[in-house]
Amino acid sequence: MRTLLAALLLWPALVLAQAYPSKPVRIVVPFGPGGVADITTRTIAPKLSEGLGGQQVIIDNMPGAGGIRASETVARADPDGYTLLLLTNGNAVSQALFKSLPYDPMNDFAMISTVGYFSMVLVTGPESKAKTLKELIAMAKANPGKLNIGSITPGGTQHLAAELFRSTAGIDAVVVPHKTTGEVIIATRNGNLDLSVDFIAPLLSSIRSGALRALAVTAGKRFSGLPEVPTVIEAGVPGYDVASWNALAAPAKTPRAIVDRVHGALVKALAAPDVQSRYAELGVEGRASTPEQLREFFIAESKRWSGVVERAKIPKQ
């Protein structure tokens, strides 16, 4: 009897999953068009469409409010697999940055899979006396409180990566957030910033032209597009391994069969040679996970970045 009852309870979800998808699938991206997260999502969208029986995958850009609007939209959507969220490390840190949220980052989403990891890079201007990261750290320790580190967006990935570098390297330096990456590049090139942290992709042309000097990449392994640039760990700061990331999630209570269907399509999309090639150009490592691995990773990231926010004394918004 119990077996029959369980089967009857599961029947609607199984029927829904077998028919899925019967209409376009929307991925809500918490950033505007043209950024690395947007481009990586648009890169996999056609492949996801193929894996979902040719059904269209639509990218819905919903920037602003620290990703809250995009996340709330998906958290409150019907749990039928037709509205997905590009989850980011911004979601993992949101509880530490905001006094209140209209959703629960931990429990209002059904995790599907990680999509990509984005390393950042530490750069100086071409005239900087620091030719290596060790030299930059030595300069900072010899001049406590005088060096500045450029980043963008208070509480954003680059800002938190800069704060974590400052504390992990044991230096007394001032982290200076800017509005845009362009402002950071100009200020670093002209020497107004002693060091800056940003994603590799928008800095790559300036690094290759010599307008910026790359000292180290933030992730735990080197970037193939800049093979001569060491990691921060290799450059002498043990334990510093930082990469931004994104993932796919659905509203909580989305049937597991639908989650598995999207997961399978995503795994195939990330394995496609043209996707891998495009990701390499962007400095992105495409990497899938299981839903369970993503949830464990999300919890760990939330704890990690909450600690960074507390140590940096970033006020809640």
Side-chain angles (χ1 to χ4, degrees), residues 165-233:
F165 173 75
R166 183 174 65 83
S167 61
T168 306
I171 60 175
D172 180 4
V174 180
V175 177
V176 185
H178 291 64
K179 289 184 179 179
T180 67
T181 293
E183 290 180 3
V184 172
I185 291 174
I186 293 171
T188 308
R189 288 176 62 172
N190 64 26
N192 288 336
L193 290 172
D194 300 297
L195 181 72
S196 293
V197 185
D198 211 327
F199 293 124
I200 291 175
L203 304 188
L204 200 52
S205 61
S206 294
I207 293 170
R208 287 174 172 165
S209 70
L212 293 174
R213 179 185 298 145
L215 300 186
V217 295
T218 64
K221 68 178 184 179
R222 296 192 182 198
F223 169 52
S224 60
L226 296 169
E228 73 286 355
V229 179
T231 66
V232 172
I233 293 174

Side-chain angles (χ1 to χ4, degrees), residues 43 269-281 284 286:
T43 299
L270 290 173
D274 51 341
V275 170
Q276 291 181 352
S277 176
R278 180 60 173 143
Y279 276 19
E281 292 173 2
V284 177

Side-chain angles (χ1 to χ4, degrees), residues 289-310:
S289 71
T290 66
E292 291 75 21
Q293 288 170 336
L294 174 54
R295 176 161 292 280
E296 290 177 5
F297 175 68
F298 186 87
I299 292 170
E301 284 286 276
S302 295
K303 291 179 180 178
R304 177 191 196 188
W305 291 115
S306 292
V308 174
V309 170
E310 290 173 8

Side-chain angles (χ1 to χ4, degrees), residues 1-315:
M1 180 62 73
R2 288 182 179 178
T3 303
L4 178 59
L5 179 59
L8 289 173
L9 290 172
L10 286 172
W11 181 252
L14 291 172
V15 171
L16 180 65
Q18 287 176 354
Y20 176 86
S22 59
K23 62 181 181 180
V25 175
R26 177 172 64 137
I27 301 178
V28 180
V29 176
F31 305 102
V36 178
D38 175 68
I39 295 171
T40 56
T41 310
R42 292 181 185 277
T43 299
I44 61 169
K47 300 296 182 182
L48 274 175
S49 175
E50 291 177 13
L52 295 174
Q55 194 59 252
Q56 186 180 13
V57 174
I58 300 169
I59 308 303
D60 185 358
N61 296 96
M62 202 174 289
I68 293 176
R69 190 162 67 97
S71 300
E72 183 182 11
T73 296
V74 178
R76 295 185 175 181
D78 291 335
D80 55 10
Y82 291 101
T83 304
L84 307 177
L85 175 67
L86 186 74
L87 196 73
T88 74
N89 52 318
N91 294 89
V93 75
S94 58
Q95 283 183 308
L97 288 175
F98 296 97
K99 293 177 182 177
S100 63
L101 292 169
Y103 57 90
D104 183 340
M106 292 287 186
N107 299 310
D108 283 350
F109 301 103
M111 303 299 180
I112 298 175
S113 172
T114 52
V115 175
Y117 293 79
F118 311 69
S119 182
M120 287 165 275
V121 61
L122 303 180
V123 297
T124 63
E127 304 302 321
S128 173
K129 294 180 181 179
K131 302 296 191 295
T132 66
L133 192 60
K134 283 185 178 180
E135 291 177 356
L136 188 286
I137 292 171
M139 286 173 54
K141 290 184 175 180
N143 300 276
K146 294 184 178 180
L147 269 69
N148 51 46
I149 305 173
S151 72
I152 68 168
T153 315
T157 302
Q158 297 95 316
H159 181 207
L160 295 179
E163 291 286 0
L164 185 61
F165 173 75
R166 183 174 65 83
S167 61
T168 306
I171 60 175
D172 180 4
V174 180
V175 177
V176 185
H178 291 64
K179 289 184 179 179
T180 67
T181 293
E183 290 180 3
V184 172
I185 291 174
I186 293 171
T188 308
R189 288 176 62 172
N190 64 26
N192 288 336
L193 290 172
D194 300 297
L195 181 72
S196 293
V197 185
D198 211 327
F199 293 124
I200 291 175
L203 304 188
L204 200 52
S205 61
S206 294
I207 293 170
R208 287 174 172 165
S209 70
L212 293 174
R213 179 185 298 145
L215 300 186
V217 295
T218 64
K221 68 178 184 179
R222 296 192 182 198
F223 169 52
S224 60
L226 296 169
E228 73 286 355
V229 179
T231 66
V232 172
I233 293 174
E234 290 174 333
V237 184
Y240 188 90
D241 180 354
V242 177
S244 182
W245 53 269
N246 57 30
L248 272 187
K253 298 183 181 178
T254 299
R256 180 58 188 244
I258 289 179
V259 168
D260 289 343
R261 180 77 194 278
V262 177
H263 180 271
L266 179 60
V267 170
K268 290 180 180 178
L270 290 173
D274 51 341
V275 170
Q276 291 181 352
S277 176
R278 180 60 173 143
Y279 276 19
E281 292 173 2
L282 296 167
V284 177
E285 179 192 358
R287 192 197 317 165
S289 71
T290 66
E292 291 75 21
Q293 288 170 336
L294 174 54
R295 176 161 292 280
E296 290 177 5
F297 175 68
F298 186 87
I299 292 170
E301 284 286 276
S302 295
K303 291 179 180 178
R304 177 191 196 188
W305 291 115
S306 292
V308 174
V309 170
E310 290 173 8
R311 289 192 297 274
K313 298 180 180 179
I314 299 172

